[in-house]
Amino acid sequence: MNLKNRDFLKLLDYTPDEIEYLLNLASDYKDKKKKGVPHDSFRGKNIALIFEKTSTRTRCSFEVAAHDLGMGVTYLDPVGSQIGKKESIADTARVLSGIYDGIEYRGFGQEIVEELARYATVPVWNGLTNEFHPTQILADLLTVREKFGRLSGINFVYLGDARYNMGNSLMVGCAKMGLNFTACAPVEYFPEKSLVDICKKLAAESGGSITLETNPEKAVRSADVLYTDVWVSMGEPDEVWERRIKALLPYRVTEKLMSYAGKNAVFMHCLPAFHDLKTGIGRSVGEKFGMDCLEVENSVFESDRSVVFDEAENRMHTIKAVMAATL
Ligand code: CP
Ligand code: NVA
């Protein structure tokens, strides 16, 4: 498998075999890291991390993965560079390509990271856009594979805002890798029809399936995975909270909903999560609307069925695999 010089912009660009290769490589790196086996064969290379939105997991994963591989890292924060304000994406891509061996980009529209990649002469990795979050999906697939020993045939239910980055890219990842994916949401929060149609074709090839369902109790019967994400994503205005809560409250992952699922079902979330009122946004929204949690109950988040911190750790191992494979 040769993925050298490839961009990693969305999973639609990768075949199931290539995705499996990345998952296997991530497992190998994870094993090496746990055993303390050095793997710094990328010494002398440098990467740039562009973050136009904030991050904990993705930034830390790229930085630690790069250090483990022997590489130098520059972090460009949402305000500290010329990008967008004084310098176009096309110019930034050409400047950074002369200095760095790879570029990570987190920001707004998918078209921005696609443009960056078009002008860059080094690999570009998508660290989250409004439409897709492909490195997160690799971590999620690795976590599912570790927990269940397989991907194919797993019943994967995503509840909440299914038309944004997480819903979209989980649907693509599941369709490629033969999982049975259900988007469970009100109709207006279903993924776009054009993407659903593409994923249905991919699922037909992989042996998986795509289902759109509005009833959460029905959706989670025989589910292996219940997955959710925040109801309002980075970059969306605060004014949408009220409408979003009204629409998505029935899709909150509760203990009761977990009890309808298979007895071995796990809870997943890309994080950060509003499972209590111990965050600034969680507190202000929770108090305003009289709730003690948003998309998931604290008791589910903290339960034995929750694998959210395994997912978070796997961000680092899978991002390392993406960089190592493409550099
Ligand atoms: N899941 C995820 O991308 O987290 P961060 O926003 O902290 O990077
Ligand atoms: N949908 C969320 C994902 C965060 C990892 C957001 O875009 O804010």
Side-chain angles (χ1 to χ4, degrees):
M1 184 69 67
N2 183 0
L3 303 180
K4 300 244 172 291
N5 297 319
R6 288 270 296 276
D7 300 311
F8 189 74
L9 305 179
K10 54 188 183 302
L11 287 180
L12 285 170
D13 302 335
Y14 277 69
T15 66
D17 283 348
E18 289 169 343
I19 294 170
E20 196 180 352
Y21 169 79
L22 290 171
L23 296 178
N24 293 343
L25 190 59
S27 279
D28 288 349
Y29 276 125
K30 184 170 181 175
D31 202 40
K32 283 199 171 79
K33 175 102 175 166
K34 301 276 174 203
K35 291 182 176 144
V37 179
H39 43 280
D40 55 351
S41 56
F42 290 80
R43 276 185 309 275
K45 292 200 183 289
N46 292 287
I47 62 164
L49 309 180
I50 305 172
F51 279 84
E52 299 208 87
K53 290 175 178 171
T54 51
S55 168
T56 297
R57 274 144 294 272
T58 309
R59 175 187 175 181
C60 296
S61 296
F62 269 99
E63 291 214 16
V64 171
H67 288 303
D68 285 353
L69 291 170
M71 301 194 287
V73 181
T74 304
Y75 170 69
L76 297 165
D77 73 18
V79 289
S81 75
Q82 313 286 20
I83 298 164
K85 300 166 288 284
K86 284 177 72 181
E87 194 152 37
S88 68
I89 288 294
D91 292 357
T92 303
R94 288 172 288 181
V95 169
L96 295 182
S97 293
I99 303 174
Y100 294 95
D101 301 286
I103 305 168
E104 178 275 357
Y105 176 85
R106 164 174 287 198
F108 296 87
Q110 179 72 16
E111 71 283 356
I112 303 173
V113 76
E114 302 270 351
E115 185 181 0
L116 189 70
R118 213 164 39 249
Y119 285 93
T121 54
V122 298
V124 172
W125 309 297
N126 179 356
L128 177 145
T129 60
N130 295 344
E131 291 81 3
F132 294 113
H133 194 6
T135 62
Q136 176 71 50
I137 309 319
L138 288 184
D140 296 339
L141 291 172
L142 182 62
T143 308
V144 170
R145 202 173 74 169
E146 288 172 348
K147 299 295 165 195
F148 294 94
R150 69 195 159 95
L151 291 176
S152 161
I154 291 292
N155 296 327
F156 193 109
V157 181
Y158 177 88
L159 299 119
D161 182 2
R163 43 131 236 161
Y164 220 71
N165 43 27
M166 285 308 306
N168 287 343
S169 29
L170 282 169
M171 179 168 70
V172 175
C174 288
K176 290 246 172 190
M177 303 311 285
L179 291 80
N180 301 312
F181 178 84
T182 301
C184 183
V187 173
E188 66 268 35
Y189 292 96
F190 281 161
E192 259 183 38
K193 187 177 178 304
S194 54
L195 187 61
V196 173
D197 290 344
I198 291 170
C199 288
K200 282 190 172 168
K201 284 203 188 88
L202 293 169
E205 289 162 20
S206 71
S209 62
I210 303 294
T211 305
L212 304 181
E213 174 59 59
T214 55
N215 181 332
E217 289 174 20
K218 195 169 157 204
V220 303
R221 290 202 191 277
S222 78
D224 297 304
V225 177
L226 277 73
Y227 197 118
T228 193
D229 180 18
V230 291
W231 289 340
V232 175
S233 288
M234 289 182 278
E236 294 196 280
D238 285 346
E239 296 77 75
V240 302
W241 270 110
E242 186 167 0
R243 197 165 158 253
R244 204 60 63 78
I245 287 170
K246 272 203 191 107
L248 298 183
L249 192 54
Y251 300 87
R252 171 187 283 167
V253 181
T254 60
E255 277 194 75
K256 191 165 169 220
L257 196 62
M258 286 299 292
S259 76
Y260 293 127
K263 67 176 186 330
N264 295 322
V266 299
F267 170 70
M268 297 181 72
H269 192 308
C270 55
L271 306 184
F274 296 123
H275 56 96
D276 57 23
L277 303 190
K278 292 181 185 156
T279 63
I281 295 177
R283 193 162 42 249
S284 74
V285 175
E287 282 170 1
K288 185 166 174 198
F289 296 97
M291 300 184 300
D292 61 4
C293 64
L294 300 181
E295 71 274 9
V296 56
E297 278 180 353
N298 194 47
S299 52
V300 172
F301 185 90
E302 296 291 358
S303 71
D304 293 347
R305 302 172 108 188
S306 171
V307 299
V308 296
F309 298 112
D310 300 294
E311 285 177 85
E313 179 191 325
N314 282 338
R315 296 299 308 285
M316 200 281 286
H317 305 300
T318 43
I319 282 172
K320 190 182 284 175
V322 169
M323 291 197 289
T326 56
L327 282 174

